[in-house]
Amino acid sequence: PTLPIPPAAYVLPTPSAAPPGRFDVTAAANWIVPHGLGRAPQVQVFLASGEQVFPDVTVDAAQIVATFASPATGFVLAS
């Protein structure tokens, strides 16, 4: 049997006051963040509370994918 793919959250527009490389993400178990940096950046992941967390993260030259056990809201810092 084929398992359903859980819904993914896509990056939201980042407020203009946010630092470059910050990507806010909606609540979902899978965060897909197209970063546009043209290279695989270093990544830090935070919950909306500001707590740094360590989900399963895949990074390439086009996007960051963070996978959580359950839906979460927060942001990604890429540098």
Side-chain angles (χ1 to χ4, degrees):
T2 302
L3 297 175
I5 297 173
Y10 289 88
V11 67
L12 297 172
T14 302
S16 60
R22 177 182 164 140
F23 302 93
D24 294 331
V25 184
T26 60
N30 294 306
W31 297 2
I32 300 172
V33 180
H35 56 71
L37 297 173
R39 60 179 171 74
Q42 293 184 340
V43 174
Q44 294 177 297
V45 180
F46 297 85
L47 297 178
S49 66
E51 175 188 359
Q52 185 173 8
V53 292
F54 302 92
D56 183 31
V57 176
T58 303
V59 180
D60 65 26
Q63 69 181 14
I64 300 161
V65 178
T67 304
F68 293 85
S70 60
T73 299
F75 60 95
V76 173
L77 296 180
S79 60

